[in-house]
Amino acid sequence: MKRNVLGILLAGAIGAALITGCGAASSGTAGSSAPQQTQESAPEDGEAGKSAANTPDLTGHTLMIYCGAGMTKPFQEIADSFKAATGCEMNVTYANAGQIQSQITTSEEGDMFIAGSAEELKPVESYVSESKALVKHIPVLAVQSGNPKNITSLAGLAEEDVSLIIGDIDSTPIGKIAKKALTDAGIFDKVQIEASTATAPQMATAIAAGEADAAIIWKENCDAQGVEIVDNSGLEDYIKTIPAASLSCSADHDARQAFLAYLNSGDVQEIWLKYGYEIAE
């Protein structure tokens, strides 16, 4: 029987969550299924990278940004770097695409949405004033270190003794990709799906913990100890592009435009590259 391990795997590590709109916070129940809001602080000793030249003084400004949970590490560093360079407060809510889409349409507030793929902008396209491509989002086939089941391709996931963990196929870009890839390979109804998760990083944690044998996951989420990537898995045709979408309900045009310009800087591109992304052409 399929079971959702959201909350089982990382509830203790994530702790209480705040459910926030793009621009207004409200109290939420604890649990890892809720969007995670991080109040960023300036990095110490320039650890978040050097700031780009000619950044404006945005002291007193605040940006409210939604970002896919799978991009938490690089985007946190980018947000911290921008705050250090400009003084702008960066309130970022990390969640899966379904949660973000719901909050945008419900609150009708916020400045930007950093989505896992361009397709995730479609349900909120009436709220998007402009969008620019940032980096490539690369799906890979991940297995436990040492690959004990000797999985060498997607076809190997259909073996009787192989268990798979998958992102939620309705609310996460990586879950939708996994379903399409497995369906295109003719094995979706043959694989043993052990569990589903609401965010991509949880799959790496599950693989490392031995909860399943394999997962289709974003490349950047495979840096956890106990996880390795299967080369030539057949997922090359499913690479997506991460967009930065400006929301029409943005309350701070100047700060938003400055951040969009900052996203083009070499400093930001270096951060993306450090975490295994490829810059979109």
Side-chain angles (χ1 to χ4, degrees):
M1 179 180 295
K2 298 179 185 179
R3 54 188 176 85
N4 193 304
V5 296
L6 177 57
I8 296 175
L9 298 176
L10 296 181
I14 294 177
L18 291 176
I19 300 180
T20 67
C22 277
S26 61
S27 297
T29 57
S32 59
S33 60
Q36 308 298 305
Q37 185 184 50
T38 301
Q39 305 288 339
E40 275 76 16
S41 58
E44 298 180 0
D45 300 324
E47 290 177 351
K50 298 177 181 178
S51 61
N54 302 320
T55 52
D57 183 357
L58 296 173
T59 303
H61 291 253
T62 299
L63 282 176
M64 304 291 182
I65 300 175
Y66 287 121
C67 181
M71 296 171 279
T72 298
K73 289 182 179 180
F75 196 77
Q76 176 91 23
E77 190 166 332
I78 291 167
D80 283 346
S81 179
F82 184 70
K83 179 178 179 179
T86 65
C88 183
E89 292 294 329
M90 301 292 284
N91 294 341
V92 185
T93 297
Y94 297 101
N96 68 40
Q99 292 168 322
I100 291 173
Q101 292 157 359
S102 177
Q103 288 198 19
I104 289 173
T105 56
T106 299
S107 69
E108 297 188 329
E109 295 177 315
D111 297 295
M112 295 184 69
F113 177 17
I114 312 300
S117 70
E119 288 84 351
E120 301 310 318
L121 297 181
K122 292 180 180 179
V124 293
E125 61 184 357
S126 63
Y127 296 89
V128 175
S129 59
E130 62 178 313
S131 176
K132 60 165 292 181
L134 293 178
V135 291
K136 294 180 181 179
H137 223 178
I138 302 173
V140 297
L141 178 57
V143 296
Q144 296 175 26
S145 291
N147 197 3
K149 294 296 179 69
N150 194 29
I151 300 167
T152 59
S153 66
L154 288 180
L157 300 178
E159 297 295 328
E160 185 176 354
D161 62 341
V162 172
S163 61
L164 180 68
I165 191 168
I166 192 171
D168 187 283
I169 60 176
D170 295 316
S171 63
T172 67
I174 194 63
K176 295 174 184 178
I177 287 173
K179 180 180 180 182
K180 179 168 176 53
L182 295 171
T183 300
D184 291 347
I187 59 173
F188 182 71
D189 59 348
K190 299 176 183 178
V191 298
Q192 177 188 334
I193 299 177
E194 182 66 20
S196 65
T197 71
T199 66
Q202 291 173 307
M203 286 189 280
T205 301
I207 294 297
E211 294 286 338
D213 298 311
I216 294 174
I217 190 172
W218 298 122
K219 178 182 176 182
E220 69 273 10
N221 298 135
C222 292
D223 59 353
Q225 185 175 2
V227 178
E228 68 178 63
I229 295 172
V230 175
D231 293 330
N232 303 315
S233 62
L235 290 170
E236 295 79 9
D237 293 337
Y238 303 92
I239 294 174
K240 300 295 183 179
T241 299
I242 294 172
S246 297
L247 300 178
S248 58
C249 50
S250 175
D252 198 326
H253 173 80
D254 291 342
R256 177 171 53 82
Q257 289 302 116
F259 187 59
L260 281 170
Y262 191 73
L263 290 173
N264 284 328
S265 71
D267 299 328
V268 169
Q269 290 184 352
E270 287 180 6
I271 293 173
W272 287 118
L273 292 171
K274 181 175 70 174
Y275 285 92
Y277 291 81
E278 296 180 14
I279 306 302
E281 297 178 358

